[in-house]
Amino acid sequence: TDGPSRRHLTPVAIGRARAHHGRGFDPGRVTIIGDTPLDIDCAKAHGCRAIGVATGPYSVEQLATAGADLAVADLHPDDIAHDFIGAALLALRNYDAAVTLLKSAAERDPGNLETVENYLLALTGKGDFGAATQTLKAAQGRFANNPRMAYLSGRVNDALDNAIQAEADYKKAIAAENGPWEANLFLGR
């Protein structure tokens, strides 16, 4: 076995992912999918997201009560779990699969900035700059004056090798009150 209890599995899995991919994983961006309250506890004990899927003996309500960030009956292709799973695939740099799920999630909930952001990052990672530019323009209309949009514009412009515009976008994001800290990292590259 990998540990004396289920709670010990999360650090083991994150360690294996780190070894396999050669980089660390922020537990806050890791999603654990399970069908028991013990699976939910396993995720939450380490600061991970938890999706409860009621395919076993526990109901959606029981999984939600156990603390699941999302509790669903199953993982049907039209399910709202797409944004969680898409974010997990993005973290693994599986851009093709992430784009498919995150597009569905972003279309279903275009007002969710985190989902739109993940979709944009997956598009740029995949190299689909046309769709990234189009999605960015649509999002800028919905999230006008949000400093994250300046940061995301910087990311898209970086991917397009528009260094001067990317720098201006990052500086705009940094100058905003509560601007995204990531903009500092990308500006410093």
Side-chain angles (χ1 to χ4, degrees):
T1 71
D2 289 315
S5 73
R6 195 171 306 218
R7 272 191 175 197
H8 290 85
L9 296 177
T10 301
V12 169
I14 291 173
R16 287 181 180 167
R18 182 182 322 109
H20 180 76
H21 294 282
R23 64 183 186 83
F25 289 88
D26 173 11
R29 295 188 63 94
V30 171
T31 301
I32 307 287
I33 302 172
D35 62 357
T36 74
L38 289 174
D39 297 323
I40 306 307
D41 177 67
C42 175
K44 294 305 188 175
H46 298 283
C48 300
R49 295 179 181 183
I51 298 177
V53 184
T55 54
Y58 296 94
S59 68
V60 169
E61 293 77 21
Q62 289 171 309
L63 295 169
T65 300
D69 294 294
L70 176 67
V72 296
D74 59 36
L75 290 179
H76 186 272
D78 295 328
D79 200 280
I80 58 173
H82 285 188
D83 56 349
F84 284 92
I85 298 169
L89 291 167
L90 176 62
L92 293 171
R93 298 181 183 168
N94 185 341
Y95 300 119
D96 290 334
V99 162
T100 301
L101 292 176
L102 291 168
K103 179 180 182 183
S104 169
E107 288 172 348
R108 186 181 42 263
D109 188 6
N112 183 328
L113 179 55
E114 182 179 1
T115 299
V116 172
E117 177 176 349
N118 285 337
Y119 179 47
L120 272 169
L121 296 177
L123 285 168
T124 57
K126 181 180 178 180
D128 190 346
F129 304 125
T133 301
Q134 183 179 19
T135 301
L136 176 67
K137 285 181 183 178
Q140 286 171 325
R142 285 191 305 276
F143 303 104
N145 301 317
N146 186 312
R148 287 212 73 76
M149 292 312 305
Y151 159 70
L152 291 170
S153 180
R155 292 290 302 270
V156 171
N157 279 303
D158 246 348
L160 292 169
D161 290 328
N162 296 333
I164 293 171
Q165 184 59 53
E167 181 178 344
D169 292 335
Y170 293 140
K171 286 180 177 178
K172 181 179 178 182
I174 292 165
E177 185 176 333
N178 298 318
W181 60 268
E182 300 96 331
N184 287 299
L185 297 175
F186 282 89
L187 183 62
R189 293 184 325 146

